[in-house]
Amino acid sequence: MASHNALLSGIDLQCYENNHAHRTEEMDVERLVVRRGQPFSVVLQCTEHIPQHQDHQLNLILHLGKNNEVVLKVSDSEQDHGKWWFSQRNAQGEVMLTLHSPADALVGLYSMTVVLLSADGQILEQTKPQTFYLLFNPWCKDDSVYLPSEELLQEYILNENGILYQGSWDDITTVPWNFGQFEKDVVDICFEVLDNSPTALKNSEMDIANRGSPVYVSRTITAMVNANDDRGVVSGRWDGEYSDGVAPTRWTGSVPILRRWSEDGGQKVRYGQCWVFTGVACTVLRCLGIPTRCITNYSSAHDTDANISVDYLFNDQLESVSEGRKDSIWNYHCWVESWMKRDDLPEGYNGWQVLDPTPQERSDGVFCCGPCPVRAVKEGEVGLKYDTPFVFSEVNADLIVWIVHPDGERIQVSQNSKVIGRNISTKSVSGDFREDITANYKYPEGSMKEREVYKKAGRQVGQKNKVPGQLELFIKHAPAVHGTDFDVIIEVYNAGREDTDAQLTVTSNAITYNSIHRAECQRKTTSLTVPAHKAHKEVLRLQYDHYGACVSEHHMIRVTALLQPTDQDNIILQETNIPLKMPVLHIKIIGKAIVSRKLTAHISFNNPLPASLQGGVFTVEGAGLTEAKEIKTHGKIEPGQAVTVKFSFKPTRAGLRKLLVDFDSDRLRDVKGEATIIVRTKM
């Protein structure tokens, strides 16, 4: 071992040079973070020239895993393509060692020791262990996450700012999200998440051995982002009671969530909903080096009984009579797609894979979903792993409406193949605008090919072909602003040659984005006669006095209309979800944006409600700008009153940055704003 006349004095990991070459310098420049399948060089510092090879030999020893589950002896010859090896170049008092990792190497935190061996293999000296992180490498053509487009990699690996799509299919809204995958210590937390998975805790050797596979790692992350079965990160809640945690709408980014989870020793962070799970999963996967993007599916089915249809059961008073766990249609649902090869599947299913970290249904006994090939969903190949039938239903189930009579008899009144899975959206790589990727998931709605795929996916849909009724039903509304009264117009058109009598029942309900019913706002039942070839219009005035007290934090009103012709079986049901427009936060930045120089943000907004607000709090954060901070307002904010707060911060990293702001209060939640800032390096 090391003696008083030691030759090896230390290792310079050349963190700045290596991290820059491996596109990880944003993550750290004081610790070594490199990507697999791409060489990196370290400098071995020596007290004098190392003797010739025949007398002495250098080897590297790598350890991986908390308990050194993997030990690799690295020699200075490329024995075969799939092994670690190194080359060396001697200089005055130094040796440059260039390490080559295989493109399928296990990802994780490695410990590296340089060993000086005698001619007979005895250890003469060794350096102190040095650590480095090894990540997936989508720039390496032999890596299973290889993505051959620099433009896509800039977005799906390197971009820390994102957009999540919300609202409804016909009124899409945006929420900015700070992924922050390169923020301080986030890489440590990402591997901490993997280390806390049930498999890692029960059988760490098996877990570490699988960490070369993006299929295994991404599936583990989808299970660990939710806290349902394990020491996962985020606890989901949808009932509006968030007083013992943070309301899901308050979060503006992943970093405060991940840090809180880590600082609390793996205790679940309260609370999240689908876009929060999605944002956190995207951060972790991008950080680990797996290209990932956030997806929103509008009118997303949650099919609880795996029959590829959503069944709505109503009585003739338009009250839901579904029992047990109900099928539902979420106004929107978010998940992520990650890019990878699927060597575990037949050919043709590489590329984008659905991963859904929101806990909905169990998969292999655990609340996780995916990776599921997007192409398998489009082609109805529901036998391919993982969880393809569930994802297929989310985007392509049929909606079947039943009326249940008092004697228990069920009458199927409609079947609609065009309602579910609309405007599937992701942020464009070209800027802050929406890209529609519905065609990736399914053939055009109603086309013969789409119906063929639906039938192939599970069941022949046999429905008696009813004679179309004379009456048609439409729901229309003007843009609805939260805090105001607005009209919804229900139009009944008679396409027949005879006047027709009918009963029209219209309800408005406060719902969450995932169709949980909070309260009925208004109800109106009308008997009407619709003249032949004419339209009858009913106006339902939705008043803030009615909906304000019961509207959910998602500001969503569902209007449902049931039309029952007196002399016909053709009952018609129509629904529309109305997102209430929210005010905008105005952000003005004062000062020049330079690293480490103070900037001040002036944040203001007007209370749009006809009621005062209390308990107001602004949350501010931005990758490379500031950690998450809260600024509380004092006293009441009266109707129409403007409120302004000031916030100072010092940017930490140069480049295009976004400051994200959220405002919450007792009566008004989820008011968002953002400011784009170009930060320059110190002058």
Side-chain angles (χ1 to χ4, degrees):
M1 302 296 284
S3 61
H4 64 279
N5 57 347
L7 289 172
L8 311 182
S9 60
I11 303 176
D12 175 5
L13 295 178
Q14 298 198 108
C15 298
Y16 180 82
E17 294 83 358
N18 283 317
N19 291 7
H20 180 73
H22 285 248
R23 300 171 178 84
T24 60
E25 74 270 23
E26 289 272 321
M27 204 175 279
D28 213 316
V29 289
E30 294 172 1
R31 295 187 302 167
L32 183 58
V33 184
V34 290
R35 301 185 187 278
R36 66 186 190 177
Q38 179 178 342
F40 62 97
S41 297
V42 300
V43 175
L44 178 63
Q45 295 159 335
C46 311
T47 56
E48 57 183 271
H49 189 69
I50 290 181
Q52 292 301 308
H53 275 75
Q54 58 264 36
D55 299 322
H56 296 79
Q57 185 185 4
L58 288 174
N59 270 185
L60 293 170
I61 307 296
L62 300 178
H63 292 90
L64 178 64
K66 285 186 175 176
N67 302 311
N68 296 333
E69 284 85 356
V70 175
V71 181
L72 300 169
K73 181 182 175 184
V74 184
S75 70
D76 62 349
S77 64
E78 186 179 5
Q79 295 166 339
D80 66 64
H81 187 62
K83 294 273 177 67
W84 284 80
W85 65 284
F86 72 91
S87 57
Q88 67 182 77
R89 282 180 290 171
N90 291 25
Q92 195 76 29
E94 293 183 328
V95 181
M96 169 99 54
L97 303 175
T98 301
L99 281 79
H100 301 260
S101 62
D104 62 351
L106 306 175
V107 301
L109 180 63
Y110 282 79
S111 175
M112 173 175 64
T113 307
V114 180
V115 178
L116 183 64
L117 301 175
S118 65
D120 60 355
Q122 297 296 311
I123 296 177
L124 300 176
E125 287 184 50
Q126 63 184 47
T127 60
K128 287 182 181 175
Q130 298 269 14
T131 60
F132 66 91
Y133 275 115
L134 188 73
L135 308 178
F136 291 101
N137 190 355
W139 283 270
C140 171
K141 65 181 175 56
D142 294 323
D143 195 313
S144 48
V145 299
Y146 174 59
L147 182 57
S149 163
E150 185 61 35
E151 184 186 29
L152 299 187
L153 288 165
Q154 288 292 325
E155 180 70 33
Y156 300 141
I157 290 287
L158 300 180
N159 193 354
E160 292 183 273
N161 300 303
I163 291 174
L164 307 179
Y165 291 96
Q166 296 184 350
S168 60
W169 72 271
D170 57 350
D171 191 358
I172 293 172
T173 58
T174 60
V175 171
W177 192 264
N178 171 26
F179 297 119
Q181 66 268 28
F182 299 140
E183 290 285 82
K184 186 174 171 56
D185 301 328
V186 167
V187 66
D188 306 271
I189 300 170
C190 292
F191 280 106
E192 192 182 340
V193 171
L194 285 174
D195 291 340
N196 276 275
S197 76
T199 306
L201 297 173
K202 285 178 198 164
N203 188 340
S204 59
E205 205 168 322
M206 187 175 85
D207 173 66
I208 293 285
N210 280 304
R211 288 205 188 168
S213 162
V215 173
Y216 175 82
V217 169
S218 64
R219 186 162 171 80
T220 302
I221 292 301
T222 65
M224 284 298 296
V225 165
N226 71 72
N228 279 46
D229 305 289
D230 41 46
R231 300 182 65 184
V233 179
V234 181
S235 176
R237 190 160 189 170
W238 284 266
D239 63 1
E241 290 296 324
Y242 311 120
S243 56
D244 59 342
V246 176
T249 50
R250 281 273 300 279
W251 303 112
T252 53
S254 309
V255 177
I257 296 170
L258 289 166
R259 284 193 178 139
R260 183 176 296 191
W261 174 82
S262 178
E263 289 162 5
D264 291 349
Q267 292 295 310
K268 61 190 176 186
V269 178
R270 299 181 173 95
Y271 289 101
Q273 291 171 2
C274 73
W275 69 92
V276 179
F277 293 114
T278 292
V280 172
C282 187
T283 295
V284 176
L285 292 162
R286 283 187 185 180
C287 184
L288 296 176
I290 301 174
T292 302
R293 61 188 187 181
C294 296
I295 308 298
T296 299
N297 176 40
Y298 289 95
S299 300
S300 186
H302 183 172
D303 176 17
T304 59
D305 53 7
N307 66 349
I308 316 184
S309 70
V310 170
D311 297 287
Y312 275 7
L313 280 65
F314 295 97
N315 62 19
D316 52 12
Q317 297 302 306
L318 202 49
E319 297 165 335
S320 173
V321 291
S322 300
E323 294 179 356
R325 297 182 65 230
K326 302 174 185 178
D327 287 354
S328 59
I329 301 174
W330 294 26
N331 206 49
Y332 61 86
H333 180 47
C334 302
W335 57 71
V336 297
E337 287 176 0
S338 289
W339 182 273
M340 66 189 73
K341 281 183 188 168
R342 291 301 300 271
D343 295 330
D344 57 329
L345 296 179
E347 268 190 47
Y349 296 100
N350 298 335
W352 290 117
Q353 313 287 320
V354 172
L355 292 153
D356 190 348
T358 300
Q360 294 185 86
E361 300 294 324
R362 291 187 186 274
S363 172
D364 294 339
V366 177
F367 279 104
C368 69
C369 180
C372 159
V374 172
R375 182 166 176 262
V377 175
K378 182 168 184 174
E379 300 300 335
E381 297 292 351
V382 294
L384 297 176
K385 62 187 180 184
Y386 292 90
D387 310 303
T388 313
F390 185 77
V391 180
F392 182 90
S393 286
E394 287 184 302
V395 301
N396 212 12
D398 280 6
L399 171 62
I400 302 178
V401 177
W402 307 79
I403 295 294
V404 181
H405 292 302
D407 61 3
E409 182 190 8
R410 287 184 182 191
I411 303 293
Q412 181 179 321
V413 296
S414 69
Q415 178 167 341
N416 194 330
S417 66
K418 298 180 182 180
V419 161
I420 288 167
R422 298 185 177 197
N423 290 347
I424 304 174
S425 302
T426 191
K427 178 190 173 298
S428 169
V429 297
S430 305
D432 289 351
F433 51 88
R434 188 180 73 89
E435 180 182 346
D436 193 299
I437 57 168
T438 310
N440 293 1
Y441 281 84
K442 56 184 181 178
Y443 291 96
E445 283 290 11
S447 67
M448 284 181 64
K449 185 67 176 173
E450 184 266 339
R451 288 291 85 189
E452 279 174 27
V453 168
Y454 183 84
K455 290 174 182 178
K456 179 168 77 170
R459 63 180 200 147
Q460 295 289 326
V461 182
Q463 185 193 1
K464 294 171 187 171
N465 290 322
K466 291 187 175 181
V467 178
Q470 292 183 183
L471 300 184
E472 297 170 8
L473 182 61
F474 307 94
I475 303 175
K476 300 173 182 177
H477 65 90
V481 177
H482 194 17
T484 66
D485 300 346
F486 60 94
D487 291 337
V488 177
I489 298 167
I490 297 87
E491 187 175 292
V492 182
Y493 178 72
N494 185 354
R497 297 178 179 177
E498 298 176 3
D499 296 357
T500 304
D501 296 328
Q503 179 172 287
L504 176 67
T505 302
V506 184
T507 64
S508 64
N509 295 279
I511 60 162
T512 63
Y513 80 97
N514 60 334
S515 283
I516 294 175
H517 181 278
R518 285 280 171 84
E520 184 172 285
C521 304
Q522 285 159 279
R523 168 183 287 266
K524 183 177 184 181
T525 300
T526 311
S527 295
L528 45 92
T529 299
V530 189
H533 301 298
K534 293 283 176 65
H536 175 92
K537 292 182 181 178
E538 283 289 325
V539 177
L540 185 69
R541 186 154 186 81
L542 292 181
Q543 298 177 324
Y544 177 75
D545 288 348
H546 292 144
Y547 71 76
C550 59
V551 71
S552 77
E553 66 271 25
H554 306 118
H555 319 115
M556 191 79 62
I557 302 291
R558 174 173 290 170
V559 175
T560 307
L562 180 72
L563 184 67
Q564 298 170 284
T566 307
D567 301 324
Q568 300 171 25
D569 290 335
N570 294 83
I571 297 171
I572 307 171
L573 183 133
Q574 290 285 3
E575 283 188 333
T576 191
N577 294 328
I578 304 174
L580 302 172
K581 295 266 184 245
M582 298 295 290
V584 177
L585 295 179
H586 298 285
I587 306 166
K588 187 176 182 182
I589 305 295
I590 310 295
K592 274 198 169 183
I594 295 170
V595 170
S596 299
R597 183 182 290 184
K598 188 169 87 169
L599 284 175
T600 301
H602 290 221
I603 306 161
S604 60
F605 100 114
N606 284 60
N607 175 10
L609 303 186
S612 59
L613 306 178
Q614 297 188 71
V617 58
F618 292 88
T619 306
V620 186
E621 73 167 296
L625 294 174
T626 177
E627 294 184 359
K629 300 275 173 62
E630 287 190 349
I631 309 155
K632 293 182 178 175
T633 61
H634 301 289
K636 292 182 180 180
I637 304 172
E638 299 297 342
Q641 181 185 337
V643 60
T644 302
V645 296
K646 294 180 184 178
F647 169 73
S648 295
F649 60 98
K650 292 180 180 178
T652 57
R653 289 185 283 136
L656 186 72
R657 303 289 169 193
K658 286 195 177 181
L659 186 72
L660 308 185
V661 185
D662 170 84
F663 175 79
D664 262 15
S665 65
D666 59 341
R667 284 178 167 267
L668 191 63
R669 294 182 182 273
D670 198 23
V671 184
K672 305 288 188 191
E674 63 178 304
T676 301
I677 304 169
I678 299 174
V679 181
R680 292 177 170 81
T681 51
K682 295 178 185 177
M683 307 299 278

